Amino acid sequence: MTDSDRRDASLDLTPEDLGALLAGVTTLAEQEVAAARFGPVFERPPSAAEIDRMIGTDRALPVDGESVEDLLAACAAVLAAGRRTTPGFFGYVQSPPAPVAVAADVLASAADQNLTSWRSGPAAAAVEHQTLRWVGEFVGFDAAATGILVSGGSTANLSALLVALRAVTGPDLDRRGMRVYASAETHFSVGKAARALGVGLQPVAVDGERRLDPGALRMAIASDRAAGLLPICVVANAGTTSTGAVDPLDAVATVAADAGVWLHIDGAYGAPAAADPASRHLFAGLHRADSLCIDAHKWLYAPVDCSAFLLHDAAATARAFGTGADDYVRILATQPAETFAFWDHGLELSRRFRALKLWATLRFHGAHRLAAAIGEDIRLAAHLADLVAAAEDFELLAGPGLSICCFRHTPTHVDQPALDAHNERILQALQRDGRVYLSNATIDGRFALRACITNFRTTRADVERVLTVVRELAR
Ligand SMILES: *Cc1c(COP(=O)(O)O)cnc(C)c1O
């Protein structure tokens, strides 16, 4: 293209500027990967006032543009002030992205396929379907899985309840008598989804390992039915967020099948562990669920956002989201791929090409290496639990469950009632210090330090540093 072909207000760059911009972006991306490998969690934990100064939050709307150099410098400053998912970052459930997934996500933005339907992004749609099948096979759910990639576990859980509703009941029924069942350990997004839909959520008792009690579930469903309520769905956990507990999926599936209700498994965090040969037995019965969600940005090492909402039967999502649903479900079996529309299977219309980063990771590393990385995370959490159990000044409060270990510091000079406050102070100091990063959980009413290891770079030395740093900051 010559300059005379450009319209006055084109947003295109000169070839020189475009080259400089993309080279700068590559350099910054390399720096981010390096910072996540070697850096502290924060270069320097910033205050809100410092962030405001750095961004210039009260700066007016730029009227005229700036140079490539100025823009890159501004981006570099923003990135440098962010939190890094370093090998000592054990807070929340957040993995660093695999470098190959970062590169693929850049390409997804460049290509900007809009995954509304096969017609808008034919190859991208085929890649999404293949990715869903691969993920379904990876965790032993269904090698022919169907479904859709959504933004996260919260959207997937909301979608699951909507699908369950339409699978079990008619569209016009009063929802107030409808009931969803889940253990009290369930992620808050399930309660949020139930409230949004106007259905009730019944908490079900757990056993000593914080797993849903199938006997209590059976009784809760039966007594609700006897009281004239309408059970529609059980949500089982394949890895709770607090302690990594996996509900007894096979027994829960039997209860759900006997009761004729939908079974959704929330595996947003933990389901990838089903690919670890040493952990697979915990997930027996996973394939019996009607739907399953897995956050690729949690433990399949994808950058946010990407959650696989998997099902065995595409007619179920079509019934819930399809335009002209029932007719649509009838033709679904015979429709050619060319007429496939994601909008008939989920809440969104415009959708980014979320599959590419996960597809690239599965292709490049393969299932064996990915499962090995997940398995190593689990073994490191077990190592941390061993260290805690062996230390006189620490107490293991839960776990290890999958890759999560909950514990507290219990030096003899701190009385029992003061332990919560003592550990809370340690957590605040840790989060400011930045060498290792933990979050917290409440275990039987006690304040626990919680380490969740979902980082393919974390080593035994990183895990061993946790106790040293906690002891140092406690002084
Ligand atoms: C994180 C999490 C969610 C919510 O997922 P988002 O991707 O953050 O929306 C749901 N369930 C479980 C078990 C989780 O750990």
Side-chain angles (χ1 to χ4, degrees):
M1 188 170 77
T2 63
D3 263 1
S4 63
D5 292 330
R6 282 165 57 121
R7 46 180 262 179
D8 289 343
S10 170
L11 302 184
D12 264 322
L13 277 63
T14 64
E16 297 72 39
D17 275 355
L18 180 62
L21 182 63
L22 293 181
V25 165
T26 302
T27 304
L28 284 179
E30 282 168 356
Q31 281 172 15
E32 280 305 306
V33 171
R37 280 183 86 165
F38 307 112
V41 173
F42 279 111
E43 229 148 69
R44 201 165 52 86
S47 68
E50 284 170 311
I51 292 285
D52 283 352
R53 254 197 315 283
M54 190 267 300
I55 309 264
T57 36
D58 48 9
R59 183 178 157 149
L61 168 72
V63 175
D64 296 309
E66 62 186 352
S67 68
V68 164
E69 295 71 41
D70 288 349
L71 178 64
L72 283 170
C75 289
V78 170
L79 298 187
R83 195 190 68 208
R84 267 62 179 264
T85 312
T86 61
F89 182 88
F90 305 128
Y92 322 113
V93 190
Q94 193 175 350
S95 63
V100 66
V102 173
D105 213 19
V106 171
L107 292 181
S109 286
D112 196 31
Q113 299 288 293
N114 189 348
L115 279 269
T116 60
S117 60
W118 188 92
R119 283 209 182 89
S120 333
V127 166
E128 179 159 342
H129 288 309
Q130 183 170 58
T131 304
L132 290 162
R133 286 198 303 276
W134 284 352
V135 174
E137 181 176 351
F138 184 64
V139 300
F141 172 69
D142 185 346
T146 155
I148 187 163
L149 294 176
V150 298
S151 59
S154 303
T155 308
N157 287 336
L158 174 63
S159 305
L161 293 196
L162 263 162
V163 168
L165 244 159
R166 283 305 318 268
V168 176
T169 74
D172 304 321
L173 284 181
D174 185 343
R175 290 186 183 171
R176 284 170 298 181
M178 297 182 190
R179 289 294 178 269
V180 173
Y181 303 82
S183 87
E185 299 288 314
T186 302
H187 191 267
F188 71 84
S189 57
V190 174
K192 202 166 149 182
R195 279 193 302 283
L197 294 175
V199 303
L201 177 65
Q202 295 286 24
V204 181
V206 294
D207 65 14
E209 317 223 307
R210 297 180 177 75
R211 297 174 306 189
L212 187 144
D213 175 349
L217 174 66
R218 192 181 287 280
M219 272 160 56
I221 293 176
S223 76
D224 278 357
R225 226 189 262 292
L229 298 170
L230 181 56
I232 56 166
C233 182
V234 174
V235 178
N237 290 298
T240 59
T241 317
S242 292
T243 66
V246 180
D247 291 338
L249 303 178
D250 204 41
V252 171
T254 300
V255 175
D258 290 350
V261 303
W262 189 266
L263 174 60
H264 173 63
I265 294 183
D266 182 354
Y269 151 59
D276 169 39
S279 307
R280 191 167 293 149
H281 64 279
L282 295 170
F283 298 85
L286 182 87
H287 65 283
R288 297 178 63 194
D290 297 293
S291 60
L292 165 70
C293 71
I294 307 174
D295 274 3
H297 56 245
K298 280 187 173 158
W299 210 1
L300 291 175
Y301 312 116
V304 277
D305 55 14
C306 185
S307 180
F309 176 46
L310 300 173
L311 305 98
H312 303 292
D313 180 11
T317 39
R319 209 171 278 121
F321 301 110
T323 37
D326 285 329
D327 285 344
Y328 181 79
V329 172
R330 232 173 291 124
I331 59 166
L332 186 69
T334 53
Q335 79 171 328
E338 286 87 344
T339 64
F340 183 86
F342 284 102
W343 69 68
D344 281 326
H345 297 273
L347 288 160
E348 297 164 286
L349 176 56
S350 297
R351 298 166 60 245
R352 111 178 227 96
F353 191 3
R354 294 190 178 107
L356 193 66
K357 55 194 170 192
L358 183 51
W359 184 79
T361 305
L362 289 163
R363 281 186 65 119
F364 185 80
H365 291 297
H368 271 148
R369 187 158 197 89
L370 209 52
I374 292 160
E376 260 186 86
D377 289 336
I378 294 171
R379 254 64 80 202
L380 286 169
H383 180 52
L384 177 59
D386 288 344
L387 294 174
V388 165
E392 284 186 351
D393 54 342
F394 282 91
E395 179 186 0
L396 189 62
L397 290 181
L402 302 184
S403 69
I404 297 175
C405 173
C406 292
F407 60 97
R408 62 179 179 172
H409 188 225
T410 54
T412 47
H413 68 271
V414 180
D415 297 339
Q416 281 290 333
L419 281 174
D420 278 1
H422 173 73
N423 281 277
E424 221 169 313
R425 275 195 303 276
I426 290 176
L427 184 69
Q428 281 164 10
L430 273 173
Q431 295 189 344
R432 271 195 307 272
D433 177 85
R435 278 173 292 171
V436 296
Y437 197 104
L438 305 177
S439 53
N440 58 291
T442 305
I443 306 292
D444 301 329
R446 292 169 300 181
F447 185 93
L449 301 172
R450 170 182 169 284
C452 176
I453 303 170
T454 52
N455 189 329
F456 54 87
R457 299 185 175 108
T458 299
T459 63
R460 285 171 77 91
D462 294 314
V463 161
E464 285 157 9
R465 205 144 29 91
V466 171
L467 302 201
T468 322
V469 174
V470 167
R471 281 190 187 111
E472 186 190 313
L473 294 176
R475 278 201 294 272

